[in-house]
Amino acid sequence: MHNTQGIVLRSVKYGDTSLITTIFTSLYGVQPFMVQGVRSVKASRNRSGLLQPGMLLDMVVYHQPMKNMQRMREYQPAVIYQSILQDVIKNSVALFSVEVLLRLLPDSAPLPDLFDFAFDYFSILDKTPQRQVANFPLFFMINCSRELGFDLKGSYSEETPHLNLQEGGYTHNSPALAPFMTDDDCRMLSRLMETNSYETLEHTEMGAATRMRLTEWYIAFLQRHSQHMGNIRSLQVLQAILH
């Protein structure tokens, strides 16, 4: 048995009373867990609620590397959310961020630095005033891709003013293929890439249309340059909420 923390990424009903839950753990990376009896009539209502996407857990687990399914002995909230579960905007940001992790992360690969960043991110999202969270999804994608080793190359300058999706960064020559970005968008994304604190992020002013263009561009960048990224189903909900 081992003590580890986890971020719930997905839970799927199994049988009449159980769940198969995918969790990003601090010790073992992404792992599937069979949680038996959690949906039974006798089970506490709060127990299955702890396994919804985005929940932060303290766990005691049985880990056997050769098995496809792991088991949990105990789990409890590592952070008790005060607003994410009730606030529609924060909840949409959280679910989008969870889906980004689910698409990007490889199975069974320990990524302690990325785990620590993501754990803090959800904790800070819960505490941040609603009006200041609109830039969180972009900030999350930028930092996740950086931790996974496929960050954008370069930054905005007079010598490299263009964002080139095919080359994966800022270039001197304008891209030959769409999507094309305006100078203002290129500057703003470069500014976000240089942001290293939530306080700075919260005071970065950006219009909703600009934010959505940059979000869509960055998703396209991740789809092109990572191995696992697919379509983000929660993007349309996020777009509607943030507009």
Side-chain angles (χ1 to χ4, degrees):
M1 291 186 297
H2 302 273
N3 295 315
T4 185
Q5 290 188 310
I7 303 170
V8 180
L9 302 182
R10 177 174 58 194
S11 288
V12 179
K13 294 179 180 178
Y14 182 81
D16 294 330
T17 63
S18 302
L19 289 173
I20 295 177
T21 301
T22 304
I23 299 179
F24 180 24
T25 68
S26 57
L27 290 182
Y28 308 110
V30 176
Q31 296 286 332
F33 291 89
M34 173 68 73
V35 188
Q36 296 178 320
V38 70
R39 295 168 43 237
S40 67
V41 175
K42 296 181 181 180
S44 169
R45 293 180 181 179
N46 293 331
R47 301 303 287 171
S48 59
L50 292 177
L51 299 176
Q52 59 185 302
M55 297 300 290
L56 307 178
L57 303 178
D58 287 325
M59 308 158 59
V60 180
V61 303
Y62 302 96
H63 183 70
Q64 296 179 298
M66 300 306 293
K67 288 196 172 183
N68 294 327
M69 191 73 63
Q70 307 297 332
R71 291 190 301 125
M72 277 192 281
R73 178 178 178 180
E74 300 175 11
Y75 61 96
Q76 60 185 356
V79 173
I80 298 177
Y81 286 143
Q82 301 300 312
S83 62
I84 282 181
L85 301 180
Q86 296 81 28
D87 188 302
V88 174
I89 291 177
K90 288 188 182 183
N91 190 253
S92 298
V93 171
L95 292 179
F96 172 85
S97 305
V98 165
E99 189 175 359
V100 168
L101 283 177
L102 189 62
R103 302 295 183 191
L104 280 179
L105 292 175
D107 292 334
S108 306
L111 297 164
D113 291 340
L114 178 52
F115 178 88
D116 290 343
F117 165 75
F119 192 96
D120 288 344
Y121 168 87
F122 287 106
S123 302
I124 293 170
L125 173 63
D126 184 61
K127 298 175 183 177
T128 302
Q130 183 196 85
R131 64 183 181 277
Q132 297 176 356
V133 305
N135 294 335
F136 272 51
L138 259 173
F139 182 74
F140 187 74
M141 287 193 294
I142 290 169
N143 282 276
C144 284
S145 63
R146 184 172 292 154
E147 291 290 346
L148 289 168
F150 36 85
D151 196 6
L152 279 176
K153 301 174 184 176
S155 60
Y156 182 89
S157 69
E158 292 184 1
E159 291 75 27
T160 55
H162 303 289
L163 267 173
N164 191 311
L165 184 67
Q166 289 71 38
E167 296 187 23
Y170 287 87
T171 59
H172 176 72
N173 297 318
S174 58
L177 301 174
F180 305 106
M181 302 288 280
T182 67
D183 287 350
D184 288 343
D185 288 352
C186 292
R187 278 193 293 267
M188 180 55 72
L189 186 56
S190 184
R191 181 180 174 187
L192 282 174
M193 290 170 58
E194 296 169 359
T195 299
N196 55 16
S197 74
Y198 287 96
E199 183 178 358
T200 304
L201 177 68
E202 293 162 8
H203 292 89
T204 301
E205 296 184 3
M206 190 189 322
T210 299
R211 187 180 299 112
M212 285 300 103
R213 287 195 302 271
L214 293 182
T215 299
E216 291 172 352
W217 191 94
Y218 210 89
I219 289 173
F221 163 73
L222 292 175
Q223 289 170 335
R224 184 175 182 88
H225 295 280
S226 71
Q227 296 180 352
H228 308 283
M229 191 73 165
N231 292 326
I232 302 295
R233 297 177 182 177
S234 58
L235 178 61
Q236 289 185 336
V237 175
L238 185 73
Q239 289 172 329
I241 292 295
L242 293 185
H243 269 78

